Amino acid sequence: MESDNQAYGFKFKSSWVDKKKNFNSDGSQRNTVLVWVEADDDKKFWMNFLKDNPRYLFSYKQPDEATASDDKAANGCNRILSLVRNGDITPSKLQIVCIDSDDCFIKGFVDGYVSAKPANDFMYYTNIYSIENAMLDPEHIDRTFEVVSSEPRRNLFVSPSSFLEQISSCLFACYHKLNFFDVISQDRGLVDSVRARFYSTLCSLTALDLTSEYTSSQCYSDFCVVLDSLVALIDAEILRLNMQTEYTAYQNKLSSANIGPKNIYLFVKGHKILNLIVAVFEKISSKYKAAALKRARATYANPKSEVNRINNNWHDYKSLIFGAFCISDIHVDFFSDTRLKLAEVYA
């Protein structure tokens, strides 16, 4: 065993963790697997796919739970990668890393792309951008909103899944080209500027009112105009760099992988697009809540108890999306490949 002054989980021998099964409190010979994730929410997510069984026990850790050799404390994907590079975390069958792919997966379809995330049998990636993208499963966000609002989705002008599909289709042309451009361009300032404008215009849609025809609104029109301008800019750069052939090859690879307008949302920054869905539908939820409170005050001679019940029991849409996903069995395209690998190794 390593010296006592080293923090648990860092720079210890594989033989030590293998012997840990001799000290299991339940008397079993199950191996303990340390699972390094980005932060607390990631523990809840990955726990649904790595469950204790007769052969393995899983212990979930985030980077700030231990002191590394550089004496820094932080969470996140980059921090875990740093700890792996520094040798503070040595991936093995009994010490694995489970982190978001970010945009590395979709960029991997561009010839010549070198990912910052190492290929390693004991490092598992989401393939989709992040865990938040998985929670945008269309049926899941629709059913969750029904629970939040106590209203069937048919009563909505547009359901969460239909809105998501509409936005995803709008984003496709720009976003898949943006990732190609990101790989081939040497002008990092221009790439960063285009990416910032892309996410800025996406976030601007939180101002939409989805209780009526939103596609004719100024907000939506401005969104489409910005995306079109970014597409034109990227197209001009691809032409200037004489990369049309490479771009066509990239397009064909995406198509072969079944990545297209309807599911490109899986590869956009997860928290950005999840926050958009939550923001626009929380406004609708607030209207349903206001109507419920108004009815209670008009119906009951002493409405305080009913008003308190409504206030206390009205769910937060985002929290319910996250919580319900973490206790559900929802298969998400691309992430399911990772889920299958984990199941095969740790059955």
Side-chain angles (χ1 to χ4, degrees):
M1 187 182 298
E2 300 287 354
S3 61
D4 292 338
N5 63 357
Q6 288 189 333
Y8 176 74
F10 289 95
K11 290 187 176 178
F12 62 89
K13 297 176 181 178
S14 297
S15 58
W16 183 88
V17 77
D18 183 57
K19 292 176 183 178
K20 189 177 183 298
K21 64 186 177 184
N22 297 323
F23 304 95
N24 288 342
S25 59
D26 60 1
S28 73
Q29 290 292 299
R30 292 186 289 181
N31 282 301
T32 295
V33 181
L34 293 186
V35 184
W36 291 98
V37 299
E38 297 181 34
D40 187 61
D41 279 348
D42 300 80
K43 292 181 182 180
K44 301 168 190 175
F45 176 87
W46 290 99
M47 199 177 295
N48 203 30
F49 309 106
L50 286 166
K51 298 177 180 178
D52 292 350
N53 59 58
R55 297 179 63 195
Y56 298 101
L57 296 168
F58 298 95
S59 178
Y60 298 86
K61 300 290 182 182
Q62 61 192 46
D64 68 358
E65 290 187 69
T67 302
S69 54
D70 60 8
D71 294 324
K72 296 178 181 178
N75 285 327
C77 176
N78 289 337
R79 180 57 178 165
I80 286 185
L81 294 176
S82 174
L83 293 171
V84 171
R85 285 194 301 270
N86 292 341
D88 293 313
I89 294 176
T90 304
S92 67
K93 187 174 182 180
L94 297 182
Q95 181 170 219
I96 64 176
V97 171
C98 294
I99 57 177
D100 293 338
S101 290
D102 298 330
D103 52 16
C104 291
F105 181 79
I106 192 168
K107 287 180 180 176
F109 292 94
V110 182
D111 288 339
Y113 173 68
V114 179
S115 176
K117 301 189 175 182
N120 185 301
D121 288 341
F122 308 110
M123 295 182 70
Y124 296 89
Y125 301 101
T126 55
N127 295 331
I128 57 178
Y129 196 100
S130 69
I131 64 173
E132 287 85 0
N133 299 79
M135 295 167 196
L136 288 166
D137 173 78
E139 175 60 25
H140 177 61
I141 58 176
D142 279 356
R143 180 64 188 125
T144 303
F145 191 75
E146 289 180 329
V147 172
V148 167
S149 63
S150 300
E151 290 286 340
R153 68 195 76 175
R154 67 175 181 274
N155 288 347
L156 298 172
F157 180 80
V158 60
S159 68
S161 64
S162 295
F163 178 67
L164 176 64
E165 183 176 336
Q166 171 75 23
I167 298 307
S168 183
S169 296
C170 291
L171 296 177
F172 178 73
C174 183
Y175 189 66
H176 85 275
K177 289 183 178 183
L178 172 55
N179 284 288
F180 178 78
F181 180 49
D182 194 334
V183 175
I184 67 167
S185 178
Q186 299 298 314
D187 190 341
R188 303 319 304 167
L190 181 58
V191 171
D192 291 344
S193 174
V194 172
R195 192 172 291 277
R197 288 182 64 195
F198 173 85
Y199 281 111
S200 176
T201 197
L202 176 62
C203 292
S204 73
L205 294 180
T206 58
L208 287 176
D209 178 1
L210 299 188
T211 60
S212 59
E213 183 48 65
Y214 63 92
T215 58
S216 60
S217 68
Q218 187 64 50
C219 176
Y220 190 82
S221 176
D222 291 344
F223 164 72
C224 294
V225 167
V226 171
L227 289 181
D228 288 345
S229 69
L230 294 179
V231 167
L233 187 156
I234 296 170
D235 283 344
E237 286 296 301
I238 292 174
L239 183 62
R240 184 182 68 82
L241 296 170
N242 195 27
M243 299 291 284
Q244 300 96 314
T245 301
E246 291 81 356
Y247 170 65
T248 299
Y250 166 66
Q251 278 187 307
N252 291 337
K253 289 181 181 180
L254 290 183
S255 180
S256 297
N258 296 317
I259 296 175
K262 289 188 177 181
N263 64 6
I264 196 67
Y265 73 87
L266 290 170
F267 307 99
V268 176
K269 280 186 179 179
H271 70 277
K272 296 285 189 182
I273 198 158
L274 177 60
N275 286 348
L276 168 60
I277 298 297
V278 167
V280 291
F281 283 94
E282 275 287 11
K283 288 189 284 187
I284 299 174
S285 174
S286 294
K287 290 182 179 180
Y288 281 125
K289 181 180 179 181
L293 290 171
K294 182 178 179 180
R295 179 166 48 81
R297 293 186 177 106
T299 302
Y300 294 89
N302 185 3
K304 182 177 180 179
S305 177
E306 181 65 9
V307 167
N308 287 340
R309 185 195 67 77
I310 293 171
N311 283 326
N312 291 335
N313 294 340
W314 205 271
H315 295 289
D316 173 77
Y317 188 32
K318 185 174 184 179
S319 296
L320 194 58
I321 286 175
F322 185 88
F325 183 92
C326 290
I327 58 173
S328 301
D329 185 25
I330 298 172
H331 287 261
V332 179
D333 288 343
F334 305 98
F335 173 70
S336 289
D337 293 342
T338 297
R339 179 177 175 174
L340 180 61
K341 289 177 184 177
L342 290 169
E344 289 174 346
V345 175
Y346 298 104

